[in-house]
Amino acid sequence: MNSSLTFARMESLPHKNVCHEPTYRELFYAHARHVRNFLCYKGAATTEAEDLMQEAFLRLWRDCAKVPVEKVKSYLFAVSGNLFLDEKKHEQVVLKFQRQAPSEEATEENPHFDLETKELQDRLEKAIAQLPENQRIVFLMNRMDKLKYAEIAERLDLSVKAVEKRMHLALMELRQILKGI
Amino acid sequence: MENNDHDDILLPDGSSGDDTLLARWLAGDLSPEDLEALRNLEEYPDYVEMLHALEGMEMEEFSPTLAWQKLSPQLAVGSQQSAADMPAPSQPTEDIEETPAPLPEAAQQPEAKIVEIGAKQATSPSPVIVNLKSSILNRKYLAIAATVLLGVVGIWWFASRDQFSYTDTDYVTKAGEQKEVKLPDGSVATLNAMSKLGFTANDWKDGRSVVLEGEAYFKAKKGKTFSVRTEQGTVEVVGTVFNVFARGNELEVKCAEGKVQVINPDETERVLLKKGEQVSIMGGKMQKRQGLAFYPNWFKGESTFRSAPLEKVFEEMERQFGVVVLADSIGERTFSGKFVNKDLEKAVKMVCNPMKLNCEVRGDTVWVK
């Protein structure tokens, strides 16, 4: 069965073509996580996000002859974003994060740090869910996925300046929301 | 960065007419003066604290390898032929004959509607989607080939679904994970990474029987026949210790103690293994080998190989670490040796150094040259 062949060969990389399976596979490995996370930031639950991500990639495969490699990123984010909109109205954003102490030195310096940080993380989780969607997406793509502003701009089809503005606003907004929680 | 010219006074809320200040601060793009001004702000400590707490927050884990395994069967048919047949995307000149036009075909295939634009997303991974991809081949003989393939995929899919359809207790391991499963009679199965084991607890008394996809090491208690069913064949024992590797079209059984009977899928061939013997079934064909090439050791933190195709070695690495191995022409080379299952860098060295391969680990990917 073909699916057991999880082995990518790169001989034919020079002619980058999305329809070429190894290229497609590479694109999947490069972007699947970010697309899935993006959907979570929009408010999808993890399983839903993963299903929609898969669906977006299936469409990419179907459209592979029409999408040049350099457009794949914006294609994936646009398609998966639309799929999510089509899904249903999403009233409440429930974003859950996995936690850990930010750094070990901090705990040594201050034994109360753990508890305080945990409490702050709880509040942050709620505050992030309350951010306007545009800001939340940009903010988390930068903070969670470690994408640079230019990379976010490319994916979301925005100017770098627009990304920076949203980022700036997100930080101010977060601080305000946190004060009220 | 465009606007570095802002000597405006910062307002207490951080707004200074400069609407990207905090963003540029995070990116490390602030001039020393701006940075100084920012640090003097009353809310600056809040931001620092916030960002620090954020550093300890992560998104739920995601395994691209597992996700790919879920996705790839849905591309299966198209991937085998369409890629080769596909015109380069840069030349969308020929309209109807050559350019893949999956949508019209979708109309002929009612089920294929699930991937039409605007339609609900496909909820269950089904070979139906494969239809769409194969529809690219608008030529008679290819269509026939595709139909046959589709049938095969369908049967494979059903067969593989069927395996676990009646089990009520399933255990699944992710990449890099191993799990010890206690069976109702006290027998123990240790699952290697990316494997699935299922059984029906209710029926356990009627016959000790488990279903396996992947690799597991069994210590079966003495008693009635204990059977391990895989897509590639069945393993039957009375009470013994043995390893089963069932992936792709391959089944490999190693007998570590006692006696093990292995039966091919259509039950036309069976072989009895004694301690230290192994058999492999490749695409239904049996090959018995005297003398255990090595004692399975993966559950002790090492993956061991004896004259194994490099490709298989790297596949195991992908499963043990949840990484992707991109290899450029490793050809038919074989590998004897082992790698550790906990430390990726070390594991890569253990394989690449003796093979004189130039390997590099970058994040989730291992590049092999």
Side-chain angles (χ1 to χ4, degrees):
Chain A
M1 187 53 219
N2 189 41
S3 66
S4 69
L5 223 144
T6 58
F7 214 77
R9 301 193 176 282
M10 296 170 56
E11 290 103 43
S12 9
L13 261 188
H15 60 273
K16 285 241 187 193
N17 176 340
V18 183
C19 299
H20 180 237
E21 198 185 348
T23 305
Y24 175 84
R25 181 176 187 250
E26 246 193 285
L27 290 167
F28 181 84
Y29 273 90
H31 303 303
R33 180 197 308 269
H34 290 161
V35 172
R36 176 266 219 174
N37 285 354
F38 164 73
L39 289 161
C40 292
Y41 306 155
K42 279 181 94 75
T46 314
T47 41
E48 186 188 10
E50 281 174 17
D51 287 347
L52 293 177
M53 177 273 287
Q54 298 253 354
E55 174 63 17
F57 270 95
L58 278 176
R59 291 192 182 201
L60 173 66
W61 183 242
R62 187 193 65 192
D63 290 345
C64 68
K66 294 182 226 149
V67 185
V69 172
E70 60 276 12
K71 288 273 176 239
V72 163
K73 277 174 271 184
S74 51
Y75 174 94
L76 285 170
F77 281 83
V79 166
S80 62
N82 287 337
L83 283 170
F84 180 67
L85 284 183
D86 293 349
E87 267 290 279
K88 51 179 181 254
K89 272 264 168 277
H90 293 268
E91 330 73 38
Q92 189 79 54
V93 176
V94 201
L95 251 173
K96 286 264 170 252
F97 295 93
Q98 299 196 325
R99 314 289 181 71
Q100 58 187 45
S103 63
E104 273 150 45
E105 308 94 72
T107 23
E108 277 168 34
E109 278 167 24
N110 178 357
H112 301 296
F113 187 87
D114 256 350
L115 221 116
E116 280 171 26
T117 309
K118 208 201 150 296
E119 189 252 3
L120 178 58
Q121 287 178 338
D122 286 342
R123 286 162 58 219
L124 260 173
E125 195 171 77
K126 289 190 196 119
I128 289 170
Q130 289 177 35
L131 276 181
E133 184 178 303
N134 282 343
Q135 295 174 20
R136 184 172 60 239
I137 290 170
V138 166
F139 181 74
L140 292 175
M141 280 175 89
N142 175 256
R143 292 289 100 188
M144 296 291 139
D145 298 328
K146 311 287 177 214
L147 291 170
K148 297 195 174 74
Y149 302 147
E151 292 170 328
I152 298 171
E154 189 188 1
R155 281 160 181 76
L156 302 183
D157 241 331
L158 291 170
S159 69
V160 174
K161 179 88 184 179
V163 171
E164 287 181 334
K165 275 188 194 172
R166 290 182 188 183
M167 197 66 199
H168 177 85
L169 282 174
L171 270 165
M172 293 209 306
E173 192 85 11
L174 262 187
R175 180 174 164 273
Q176 289 300 328
I177 300 173
L178 273 179
K179 277 204 271 182
I181 299 183
Chain B
M1 226 37 55
E2 306 143 50
N3 60 335
N4 266 333
D5 52 319
H6 40 76
D7 27 7
D8 354 17
I9 299 150
L10 292 155
L11 302 172
D13 64 347
S15 71
S16 58
D18 178 354
D19 51 6
T20 60
L21 180 77
L22 293 170
R24 288 180 296 115
W25 168 54
L26 284 182
D29 266 347
L30 286 190
S31 65
E33 304 86 66
D34 280 342
L35 196 57
E36 189 53 37
L38 183 72
R39 282 191 175 138
N40 288 331
L41 283 180
E42 147 191 25
E43 58 267 33
Y44 178 73
D46 291 352
Y47 290 130
V48 173
E49 200 190 0
M50 224 165 76
L51 292 163
H52 186 60
L54 258 171
E55 270 171 38
M57 294 164 71
E58 281 167 13
M59 289 303 291
E60 212 176 297
E61 261 178 61
F62 174 76
S63 158
T65 310
L66 282 185
W68 174 257
Q69 288 201 335
K70 204 172 145 198
L71 179 70
S72 55
Q74 303 181 54
L75 320 166
V77 169
S79 67
Q80 287 174 354
Q81 288 156 1
S82 67
D85 261 70
M86 199 66 66
S90 48
Q91 358 166 294
T93 37
E94 314 89 332
D95 259 318
I96 300 147
E97 302 87 43
E98 291 291 322
T99 313
L103 279 177
E105 195 83 1
Q108 296 168 23
Q109 310 254 359
E111 309 97 310
K113 279 203 184 104
I114 49 172
V115 284
E116 260 176 20
I117 290 167
K120 272 264 176 285
Q121 56 135 352
T123 43
S124 64
S126 81
V128 169
I129 291 144
V130 164
N131 266 335
L132 261 180
K133 215 47 211 173
S134 65
S135 71
I136 286 161
L137 318 157
N138 263 337
R139 279 159 233 172
K140 236 184 276 165
Y141 68 98
L142 279 178
I144 293 163
T147 312
V148 172
L149 265 171
L150 191 64
V152 173
V153 170
I155 289 164
W156 169 81
W157 179 257
F158 273 102
S160 66
R161 293 246 67 175
D162 203 35
Q163 274 213 93
F164 289 93
S165 62
Y166 53 85
T167 57
D168 57 18
T169 316
D170 293 343
Y171 296 87
V172 182
T173 50
K174 294 187 287 194
E177 192 190 5
Q178 294 183 354
K179 204 180 264 177
E180 204 178 87
V181 178
K182 256 230 150 86
L183 299 166
D185 65 336
S187 297
V188 177
T190 309
L191 280 182
N192 203 351
M194 297 184 81
S195 301
K196 184 172 178 184
L197 179 93
F199 59 88
T200 315
N202 277 337
D203 296 345
W204 190 260
K205 280 182 255 87
D206 303 334
R208 305 187 292 167
S209 171
V210 301
V211 184
L212 173 74
E213 217 177 86
E215 184 170 17
Y217 185 72
F218 293 91
K219 283 183 190 164
K221 282 254 163 97
K222 284 211 160 55
K224 274 197 243 171
T225 305
F226 180 102
S227 67
V228 181
R229 281 170 296 120
T230 76
E231 258 183 77
Q232 304 84 355
T234 304
V235 185
E236 284 181 357
V237 305
V238 180
T240 176
V241 181
F242 59 106
N243 190 73
V244 180
F245 177 99
R247 297 187 193 274
N249 63 354
E250 183 182 2
L251 171 68
E252 186 193 73
V253 184
K254 289 181 171 150
C255 177
E257 272 174 36
K259 288 186 181 110
V260 176
Q261 176 161 246
V262 183
I263 306 149
N264 72 343
D266 45 10
E267 306 197 342
T268 52
E269 271 185 278
R270 16 184 97 213
V271 62
L272 191 68
L273 298 181
K274 293 196 286 285
K275 181 177 179 175
E277 291 179 341
Q278 65 174 34
V279 69
S280 49
I281 301 184
M282 282 293 271
K285 284 225 173 74
M286 278 205 180
Q287 287 178 307
K288 188 175 167 181
R289 259 201 265 169
Q290 301 283 334
L292 211 51
F294 61 88
Y295 192 78
N297 227 6
W298 51 263
F299 40 86
K300 291 184 184 146
E302 286 175 352
S303 296
T304 325
F305 303 89
R306 177 70 54 90
S307 304
L310 254 185
E311 184 163 334
K312 281 189 70 174
V313 177
F314 283 129
E315 280 175 5
E316 189 61 37
M317 195 178 276
E318 291 187 324
R319 289 190 289 266
Q320 290 299 338
F321 295 99
V323 296
V324 192
V325 180
L326 294 170
D328 195 16
S329 61
I330 47 166
E332 306 281 291
R333 300 180 65 190
T334 58
F335 172 78
S336 296
K338 61 184 181 185
F339 65 73
V340 292
N341 292 343
K342 279 285 161 280
D343 182 339
L344 177 61
E345 292 273 355
K346 208 167 159 190
V348 167
K349 278 196 191 116
M350 290 170 86
V351 177
C352 294
N353 288 355
M355 298 303 289
K356 304 221 163 19
L357 288 166
N358 188 4
C359 301
E360 195 191 333
V361 180
R362 265 185 258 155
D364 262 358
T365 311
V366 179
W367 297 77
V368 180
K369 272 168 212 134

